[in-house]
Amino acid sequence: MSVNERIIELRHTLKLSQRAFAKAVYVSNGYLAGIELGHNEVKDRLIHLISSAFSVNKHWLLTGEGRMFNSTSEEKLEKVTSLFNELYPEFQDFVLRQIDELIELQNVKQEK
């Protein structure tokens, strides 16, 4: 399966029209139709836009290997919880303090 075909598969998975998909990635309907028909080459810029707009795994989009979408927040939380539980209690406390500091930094950044 080509990159062009994976873009069609992705669009169908997302249940989006060509128009809605094209709008989300800032390309014209005609350009997207050309991609899907195999007339237009898929450029790196489009790969980046698709990946950013829909949280698509770039590796999957380019090769067909791996998952279609990047990890969800739920999967990330499960991984963090598993790793956190492996830490000694004093390291767990350290991690919690670091998270508190990151939240403070984020709040300061949002205020600017």
Side-chain angles (χ1 to χ4, degrees):
M1 183 183 288
S2 69
V3 174
N4 303 57
E5 292 168 321
R6 281 188 289 281
I7 290 173
I8 296 169
E9 181 182 351
L10 172 65
R11 186 173 63 76
H12 289 171
T13 298
L14 295 169
K15 296 180 170 72
L16 292 175
S17 66
Q18 278 187 339
R19 177 181 300 253
F21 189 95
K23 184 177 180 180
V25 295
Y26 306 100
V27 298
S28 70
N29 295 348
Y31 182 74
L32 180 61
I35 292 283
E36 291 189 359
L37 292 171
H39 300 306
N40 293 341
E41 181 184 343
V42 179
K43 308 270 185 182
D44 289 339
R45 177 183 171 271
L46 183 59
I47 296 292
H48 176 73
L49 290 170
I50 290 171
S51 178
S52 296
F54 303 113
S55 294
V56 172
N57 177 348
K58 285 183 186 179
H59 183 71
W60 173 84
L61 197 53
L62 292 168
T63 68
E65 297 172 358
R67 292 180 165 187
M68 182 183 289
F69 296 100
N70 292 322
S71 296
T72 64
S73 293
E74 190 173 291
E75 289 171 327
K76 290 177 185 177
L77 182 59
E78 286 177 21
K79 182 176 180 179
V80 168
T81 301
S82 174
L83 293 170
F84 184 83
N85 287 335
E86 292 179 27
L87 295 172
Y88 293 130
E90 60 270 20
F91 292 154
Q92 290 177 347
D93 293 340
F94 175 79
V95 168
L96 291 173
R97 285 191 304 273
Q98 295 304 306
I99 291 172
D100 286 339
E101 288 183 28
L102 286 170
I103 295 294
E104 286 179 33
L105 286 172
Q106 178 176 286
N107 290 340
V108 167
K109 186 175 182 180
Q110 287 176 347
E111 291 173 1
K112 290 183 180 182

